[in-house]
Amino acid sequence: MSEDKVVSPPREENKCLTLLPLSRIKSIMKQCPDISAISQESLFVITRATELFIELMTREAYDVLEERGKAEVEYKDLAGVVEKYECLMFLADILPQKITVKEYYRLLQEAREG
């Protein structure tokens, strides 16, 4: 029998429920001055939500990538995902579409005239 099966990597027996290191997420969370204490439950939930967000961005960028027929996810793929979905517009300042200097000056001139 030559069935193609997707085989998942073996899970270690340390019962690691997250892929991102909890200590790193905790240190990032502690940088916020409004947070004084972080419970283990909230740390787990934030870490898991971060992993799901990264997974969503990656899958959507991969879909854009397939449309273009490329083999690697690039900055413009992620920027395209942010532009495509209104719910991700909060990232527009962080992942803007790149433009040339010439385009920037043209937009700047139009803004001044208009």
Side-chain angles (χ1 to χ4, degrees):
M1 287 187 240
S2 64
E3 292 182 28
D4 292 333
K5 292 184 179 181
V6 176
V7 179
S8 340
R11 291 195 90 176
E12 293 182 20
E13 292 301 319
N14 63 3
K15 300 193 186 221
C16 184
L17 299 175
T18 61
L19 298 173
L20 297 174
L22 293 172
S23 60
R24 175 69 87 186
I25 301 297
K26 188 173 186 175
S27 67
I28 293 170
M29 290 174 68
K30 282 185 173 182
Q31 291 179 3
C32 179
D34 298 335
I35 297 177
S36 58
I38 302 167
S39 70
Q40 288 298 319
E41 293 84 9
S42 64
L43 178 60
F44 174 77
V45 169
I46 295 294
T47 303
R48 192 66 188 117
T50 303
E51 290 174 353
L52 292 173
F53 178 75
I54 292 169
E55 184 179 334
L56 169 78
M57 288 291 292
T58 307
R59 284 184 186 197
E60 294 299 329
Y62 186 76
D63 289 344
V64 170
L65 175 85
E66 282 185 325
E67 290 172 7
R68 288 191 5 242
K70 298 286 183 174
E72 295 177 351
V73 175
E74 297 175 358
Y75 177 92
K76 59 184 166 184
D77 301 320
L78 294 172
V81 170
V82 169
E83 194 171 284
K84 184 176 179 181
Y85 294 99
E86 188 175 332
C87 64
L88 297 176
M89 287 306 292
F90 69 97
L91 294 172
D93 292 337
I94 298 169
L95 286 168
Q97 288 285 351
K98 289 185 178 181
I99 61 172
T100 63
V101 174
K102 186 177 182 178
E103 290 176 80
Y104 172 75
Y105 283 129
R106 183 184 55 78
L107 292 172
L108 189 61
Q109 186 175 8
E110 288 175 6
R112 286 181 183 165
E113 291 172 357

